[in-house]
Amino acid sequence: EDQVTQSPEALRLQEGESSSLNCSYTVSGLRGLFWYRQDPGKGPEFLFTLYSAGEEKEKERLKATLTKKESFLHITAPKPEDSATYLCAVQAGIGNQFYFGTGTSLTVIP
Amino acid sequence: KAGVTQTPRYLIKTRGQQVTLSCSPISGHRSVSWYQQTPGQGLQFLFEYFSETQRNKGNFPGRFSGRQFSNSRSEMNVSTLELGDSALYLCASSLAPFYEQYFGPGTRLTVT
């Protein structure tokens, strides 16, 4: 069964304390891996798409990387405004359907 | 460019009733997907439409249905509502099926 697992479920960081979020997947026929940010009461906001192992994408303090079995979202020197839930999704399978993980809730403390 | 809009934003219904939710995609986007989000299950895929045709359907009962119009706007319908249908229903649009999706703010449905 296609599956996407994110860890940790929750993460508390001091402002400036860098860390990484993990997204591991077991799917057949991966077409792409997507990272989203979701703030409370809002829809997910698109961050990155990764298509092949070894690919990296950066945006401000965020950097996403992809291997054959997992992806990492590295957060460098986070600020309180980076607090949100980060969702990972893979597009895979015969119908190229999207499968979402349950997210990592990040809290950055000033 | 305007984002994805969903109406209504909040809805309270009684068990057994039916409900219709609406989604207007970003201008130029022809693919619309629907998701159900609950605290326990996360985002669960409902269905995807492209050019008025359903491309994919998730593992939900037949009470959940949808359609897409020629202007790419989409509606989803849930009949015979159950308490477990209480959730945030999110619509996402993309240029085409294989592109990144952009989400609307969601419709919060509460079934009592």
Side-chain angles (χ1 to χ4, degrees):
Chain A
E1 181 182 316
D2 294 334
Q3 197 166 21
V4 180
T5 304
Q6 291 188 247
S7 61
E9 286 187 18
L11 182 63
R12 288 172 64 90
L13 299 173
Q14 291 289 331
E15 184 173 0
E17 179 187 2
S18 301
S19 187
S20 296
L21 312 183
N22 178 264
C23 171
S24 62
Y25 56 90
T26 52
V27 298
S28 55
L30 177 73
R31 183 172 176 87
L33 186 140
F34 302 78
W35 282 98
Y36 290 85
R37 167 194 171 126
Q38 187 173 24
D39 292 296
K42 295 186 177 182
E45 174 191 344
F46 170 74
L47 293 173
F48 303 110
T49 308
L50 301 166
Y51 292 106
S52 56
E55 189 174 359
E56 298 181 351
K57 293 273 181 73
E58 281 189 73
K59 180 180 179 180
E60 296 180 356
R61 296 177 292 282
L62 300 176
K63 178 180 175 181
T65 61
L66 180 65
T67 71
K68 286 188 177 179
K69 291 296 180 187
E70 60 190 348
S71 176
F72 292 92
L73 184 64
H74 308 278
I75 303 177
T76 302
K79 299 182 177 181
E81 53 262 42
D82 295 322
S83 297
T85 294
Y86 290 85
L87 296 167
C88 163
V90 298
Q91 189 180 32
I94 297 172
N96 288 298
Q97 182 174 315
F98 281 83
Y99 299 90
F100 277 81
T102 52
T104 293
S105 176
L106 174 66
T107 303
V108 181
I109 305 161
Chain B
K1 197 181 229 184
V4 179
T5 58
Q6 292 187 244
T7 56
R9 292 292 314 279
Y10 303 92
L11 207 50
I12 299 175
K13 289 286 188 179
T14 305
R15 268 183 306 174
Q17 289 186 313
Q18 75 166 20
V19 66
T20 299
L21 312 182
S22 181
C23 170
S24 293
I26 292 171
S27 178
H29 284 195
R30 296 167 60 198
S31 180
V32 173
S33 296
W34 289 89
Y35 295 86
Q36 180 194 69
Q37 187 175 34
T38 57
Q41 297 293 319
L43 270 152
Q44 302 286 309
F45 171 74
L46 281 157
F47 23 67
E48 178 191 14
Y49 288 88
F50 176 65
S51 295
E52 302 177 67
T53 301
Q54 188 179 89
R55 284 191 71 250
N56 274 314
K57 190 178 192 312
N59 191 24
F60 278 82
R63 300 185 295 108
F64 292 81
S65 63
R67 59 178 175 168
Q68 186 180 34
F69 302 96
S70 58
N71 61 358
S72 295
R73 191 177 69 84
S74 178
E75 289 181 347
M76 68 163 281
N77 183 275
V78 188
S79 62
T80 319
L81 284 166
E82 301 177 359
L83 294 178
D85 296 333
S86 294
L88 180 67
Y89 288 87
L90 290 160
C91 166
S93 79
S94 60
L95 281 170
F98 305 129
Y99 287 76
E100 65 271 12
Q101 297 183 329
Y102 295 86
F103 284 82
T107 294
R108 172 74 62 185
L109 172 65
T110 302
V111 182
T112 62

